[in-house]
Amino acid sequence: MDRKLLYEGKAKRIYSIPDKPGMYIQEFKDDATAFNGLKKEQIKNKGVLNASISTTIFRYLMQHGIPTHFVEKLSDTEMLVKKVKIVQVEVVCRNIAAGSLVKRYGFKEGTVMKQPIVEYYFKSDELGDPLFTEEHVFALELATADEMNLIKELTLKINGLLLKFFSERKLKLVDFKLEFGRDDGGNIILADEISPDTCRLWDSETNKKLDKDRFRFDLGGVEEAYEEINKRLS
Ligand code: TMP
Ligand code: ASP
């Protein structure tokens, strides 16, 4: 398929397709970064594994009524997606304390939240993705109140669906990050990826970390963890 590189992010490339103006190609790279790009390495096979994992999850969510950008898998590392304009708000949903919830608020890692915590981060590499509130979103004109209500509602619905999906595969969904976009009709749909780069997943029995924290904190066995997730999902 003829294509033009539109955007290269830390873990993915987005291409436009001259023959299909309403579509993009999303390609998953082996590159991994953490701490806003401070730590940078390649994880062997990550592109292939995340494309596979993300495809499985997006198909599942769509079967359960979540609107997403996913169209079809094109190759080992590529998917065809609907063209969207990304809303510059990263939505994090947390079920169990880990990561910045521990650092910022003093929860003990592993503490189960009585109800999910939804947080918003300003998607801005220059500013280091700061935590912010809906009022900042409105002041910066990143999304309307109706859009933010829908984004929160979709996030909580996705959380419910994913908690069930992962628990059936003996995994605890600790937390995850979502990105939404506007399609050509201005509708809010789920975009980006859902993978061990963007979720924390622990083995249900042993609490072994099977996600990007193995890379962030040099725990070893990074590729093996991603392979284990892919295996449990297929
Ligand atoms: P945090 O605890 O470091 O704030 O991360 C919360 C969740 O968001 C975790 O599942 C990892 C994911 N995440 C991203 O996908 N991208 C990011 O840039 C960050 C900081 C976290
Ligand atoms: N992806 C982010 C970065 O490169 C942070 C992370 O996932 O920890 O900085």
Side-chain angles (χ1 to χ4, degrees), residues 104-231:
R104 228 176 251 139
Y105 305 106
F107 286 103
K108 187 170 174 281
E109 185 179 80
T111 309
V112 178
M113 299 296 106
K114 289 201 182 77
Q115 54 184 53
I117 294 177
V118 177
E119 297 174 339
Y120 306 113
Y121 293 83
F122 185 14
K123 185 175 164 66
S124 162
D125 282 340
E126 306 87 83
L127 300 175
D129 297 348
L131 177 68
F132 67 171
T133 72
E134 279 195 334
E135 283 69 26
H136 297 107
V137 173
F138 303 146
L140 289 161
E141 297 183 358
L142 303 179
T144 66
D146 283 349
E147 286 176 331
M148 288 307 288
N149 287 340
L150 179 59
I151 283 172
K152 185 168 185 190
E153 187 188 310
L154 284 169
T155 298
L156 291 171
K157 191 168 169 203
I158 290 164
N159 187 43
L161 289 166
L162 291 182
L163 279 170
K164 177 166 182 288
F165 178 84
F166 285 119
S167 85
E168 287 166 359
R169 289 155 181 85
K170 298 278 175 286
L171 292 163
K172 287 185 191 171
L173 177 62
V174 174
D175 55 34
F176 59 96
K177 185 264 296 177
L178 301 176
E179 291 183 26
F180 293 86
R182 291 183 197 89
D183 68 11
D184 281 341
N187 305 298
I188 293 287
I189 62 179
L190 180 66
D192 196 52
E193 65 175 300
I194 300 180
S195 73
D197 274 11
T198 63
C199 299
R200 285 196 175 90
L201 296 165
W202 296 352
D203 179 86
S204 292
E205 257 142 53
T206 64
N207 281 343
K208 183 178 177 187
K209 295 180 163 85
L210 296 169
D211 56 58
K212 195 174 161 187
D213 271 352
R214 303 206 72 81
F215 165 76
R216 291 189 188 98
F217 303 109
D218 298 313
L219 303 177
V222 185
E223 190 195 340
E224 291 78 3
Y226 283 61
E227 265 164 9
E228 178 65 25
I229 298 296
N230 191 42
K231 198 177 90 193

Side-chain angles (χ1 to χ4, degrees), residues 85-97:
K85 283 215 172 75
I86 293 289
V87 177
Q88 301 299 306
V89 177
E90 299 194 1
V91 185
V92 168
C93 183
R94 304 178 184 272
N95 298 303
I96 298 175

